[in-house]
Amino acid sequence: MKGYSEMQFDLLSPRHQLVRIMQRIYYGGMTTLSGGNLSIRDEDGTIWITPSGVDKGKLTAADMMCVYPDGTDEGLHRPSSELPFHQAIYRERPDIKAIVHAHSPALVAFSIARKLPDTRIIPQAHRVCGEVGYAPYALPGSEALGESIAKTFAQGFDAVLLENHGVVTAGQSLLEAFQRLETLDFCARTQMYALTLGKFSTLSDEQLEIFEHRDNYLPTFTPEMHSSHEREQREKLVDMVQRACERHLMISTEGVASTRLDDSAFLITPTGFDRPSIDIENIVLVRDGQQENGKLASRSVLLHQAIYEKNPDVNAIITAQSPYATAFTISEKALDTKTIPESYIMLLDTPEMPYGTQYKQPEHIAKMVAEGHPVLLLQNDCVLTTGKDLLNAFDRLEVAEFTARSLIESASIGELVPIGDNEIDDLVAKFLS
């Protein structure tokens, strides 16, 4: 959906919305050529739904089917064979306007193990998905399956795991329903990665409340002008966020990036905005503790501000929930960077800060960066990287994710044999002195 803001996406026709979201799901690896289906319900009860038996990677607007309230349909194909469960959910939940069904490998893994992924591993995920429902198995395309899923949605769930099948998510819009799918898929993958490391931790209601009560409502100001330097940095920030999404280091609901402009100002991504859709106009200028009028900076704005104030050499910050690195933030095992030379040179040691520090005591994190830790893990939240510029901070994010992935994937082979202390001293002398 590159090139579309959230508002522009909402103004797209149902046909084009279905195409755009199916592209995200298919090319994001969350369904197969033949699997999955999406629908949107109009105010008059008309349902727009993906067709049956058409390549999900090549769908066009003309392929989408329209099903009228009287049961008749219009289009080039047949409506999805799963239309009955879409109709059943809409009957049970009049508030739902869109439905997504997919066969993400991670969520299928949970469905065949008959366990639910935990959305309490990070606060953002629980905020998007809430608790997850469970629907017993029934024949695909059958009325029985529709009844099973609809009854679970009727209990108030917005994300439901289907026994030995996949997942269904719903929302007030197709974008919201997709974001629930993507976020739940992230939770499933991150939880599985963490389990290879041992036990993992989840957040209590009290800890989740901390996330909801942060103050990012800064005083506002109206910029007199936007310098060439600022405009250039806006472009770089948008490019880096979109690349992070393409590289699966961020998803649509999670991830923050900022870049310093001068001693008193920086640019930062907005709060509550679909990450791949962010454009230069959405980026928020923060100057002298005030944010650009008419915009709302990320909930992490005070953390980023504290780091910039304490660290004059830091010119870019990224806080991201890349799944392998995030697995270490919820596990009991430390992220050991003494794997290959690049990992240690780029990351150094990566301490983990206790949950809530980023919200209540951001100056403590700023101090850790000043003490020589360009990369930090924030417990049950994210990996934080800093750099001399955006490219440097992004490079560290990628290296952190690759390092975490190597450690997790090596668990089935044997224990890590780290680079020795003498070799680390040589690396420090040659590359870090």
Side-chain angles (χ1 to χ4, degrees):
M1 289 198 329
K2 228 180 216 186
Y4 284 90
S5 70
E6 274 188 293
M7 182 175 292
Q8 287 171 326
F9 179 78
D10 290 340
L11 291 175
L12 289 173
S13 68
R15 292 179 184 274
H16 282 94
Q17 287 192 24
L18 291 168
V19 170
R20 298 279 171 178
I21 293 300
M22 185 55 84
Q23 286 176 343
R24 281 210 200 179
I25 293 172
Y26 180 76
Y27 290 103
M30 289 181 280
T31 200
T32 60
L33 180 152
S34 59
N37 37 78
L38 320 174
S39 72
I40 299 171
R41 180 175 61 170
D42 281 344
E43 291 301 323
D44 66 357
T46 298
I47 297 173
W48 299 85
I49 192 165
T50 48
S52 175
V54 180
D55 180 356
K56 297 299 189 295
K58 298 291 185 181
L59 286 176
T60 68
D63 291 318
M64 300 308 163
M65 297 297 298
C66 181
V67 181
Y68 296 106
D70 65 2
T72 60
D73 62 68
E74 182 180 331
L76 302 176
H77 312 283
R78 291 177 292 110
S80 168
S81 61
E82 301 286 22
L83 173 64
F85 86 61
H86 288 251
Q87 293 172 319
I89 294 170
Y90 287 134
R91 283 195 297 269
E92 287 287 347
R93 290 279 302 275
D95 59 307
I96 288 174
K97 306 300 181 188
I99 294 168
V100 169
H101 169 51
H103 303 148
S104 133
L107 291 169
V108 167
F110 274 85
S111 82
I112 63 179
R114 302 190 178 184
K115 295 182 178 180
L116 293 176
D118 201 320
T119 62
R120 290 174 173 262
I121 56 174
I122 63 170
Q124 298 93 324
H126 189 265
R127 192 172 196 264
V128 172
C129 297
E131 303 296 333
V132 182
Y134 185 85
Y137 179 83
L139 182 69
S142 66
E143 295 291 339
L145 179 63
E147 290 177 12
S148 176
I149 301 171
K151 283 181 181 178
T152 311
F153 272 99
Q155 298 171 37
F157 297 106
D158 292 318
V160 174
L161 198 72
L162 312 185
E163 185 176 277
N164 287 86
H165 191 157
V167 67
V168 178
T169 58
Q172 290 291 304
S173 68
L174 189 60
L175 185 59
E176 183 178 56
F178 164 75
Q179 288 176 334
R180 288 193 168 116
L181 164 68
E182 185 187 37
T183 304
L184 192 61
D185 175 71
F186 161 83
C187 289
R189 287 184 291 123
T190 303
Q191 184 174 332
M192 287 192 294
Y193 302 155
L195 284 169
T196 68
L197 302 171
K199 295 181 180 179
F200 68 94
S201 61
T202 57
L203 300 171
S204 65
D205 288 342
E206 291 75 19
Q207 289 174 314
L208 290 170
E209 278 296 308
I210 297 173
F211 177 79
E212 297 296 340
H213 288 90
R214 282 182 289 153
D215 187 9
N216 57 329
Y217 291 90
L218 303 177
T220 62
F221 78 106
T222 302
E224 294 182 3
M225 61 166 288
H226 298 283
S227 68
S228 297
H229 174 61
E230 179 194 327
R231 284 177 281 162
E232 185 178 64
Q233 291 304 307
R234 283 178 182 266
E235 292 171 356
K236 289 182 178 180
L237 199 54
V238 168
D239 178 68
M240 211 51 70
V241 170
Q242 291 180 346
R243 193 198 293 195
C245 293
E246 291 168 357
R247 298 283 285 166
H248 305 293
L249 301 169
M250 291 184 184
I251 61 174
S252 61
T253 55
E254 299 160 7
V256 181
S258 71
T259 184
R260 187 199 295 270
L261 292 178
D262 54 46
D263 289 342
S264 62
F266 61 94
L267 297 170
I268 192 167
T269 48
T271 193
F273 208 96
D274 180 55
R275 274 55 172 180
S277 302
I278 287 174
D279 60 30
I280 55 174
E281 185 180 355
N282 309 130
I283 300 299
V284 184
L285 172 62
V286 178
R287 183 177 293 281
D288 295 321
Q290 297 180 307
Q291 65 184 344
E292 196 173 351
N293 189 40
K295 299 179 182 180
L296 186 58
S298 163
R299 291 165 175 261
S300 299
V301 64
L302 297 182
L303 170 61
H304 288 232
Q305 181 172 276
I307 293 172
Y308 286 129
E309 289 176 352
K310 183 74 174 177
N311 298 272
D313 293 334
V314 170
N315 292 311
I317 304 165
I318 299 175
T319 44
Q321 285 77 11
S322 53
Y324 286 97
T326 302
F328 279 88
T329 76
I330 70 174
S331 77
E332 298 175 343
K333 203 161 187 176
L335 176 60
D336 193 334
T337 59
K338 299 181 181 68
T339 54
I340 63 174
E342 182 193 39
S343 291
Y344 189 79
I345 292 166
M346 292 297 296
L347 308 177
L348 299 178
D349 294 317
T350 55
E352 182 170 278
M353 304 297 289
Y355 178 79
T357 307
Q358 62 272 42
Y359 313 141
K360 294 183 174 181
Q361 298 170 309
E363 66 279 1
H364 287 195
I365 294 175
K367 183 180 177 184
M368 287 295 290
V369 173
E371 291 175 355
H373 300 290
V375 178
L376 297 171
L377 299 182
L378 308 187
Q379 185 183 32
N380 283 90
D381 195 339
C382 65
V383 56
L384 181 149
T385 65
T386 61
K388 61 184 179 182
D389 53 29
L390 273 169
L391 205 60
N392 187 215
F394 186 83
D395 191 7
R396 284 185 168 132
L397 174 61
E398 283 197 318
V399 173
E401 181 70 351
F402 275 48
T403 303
R405 180 173 180 175
S406 296
L407 287 165
I408 289 168
E409 292 184 346
S410 71
S412 63
I413 303 170
E415 288 290 324
L416 163 69
V417 180
I419 297 174
D421 292 340
N422 291 337
E423 288 76 15
I424 292 294
D425 290 341
D426 291 341
L427 289 174
V428 171
K430 183 170 181 178
F431 296 101
L432 300 170
S433 297

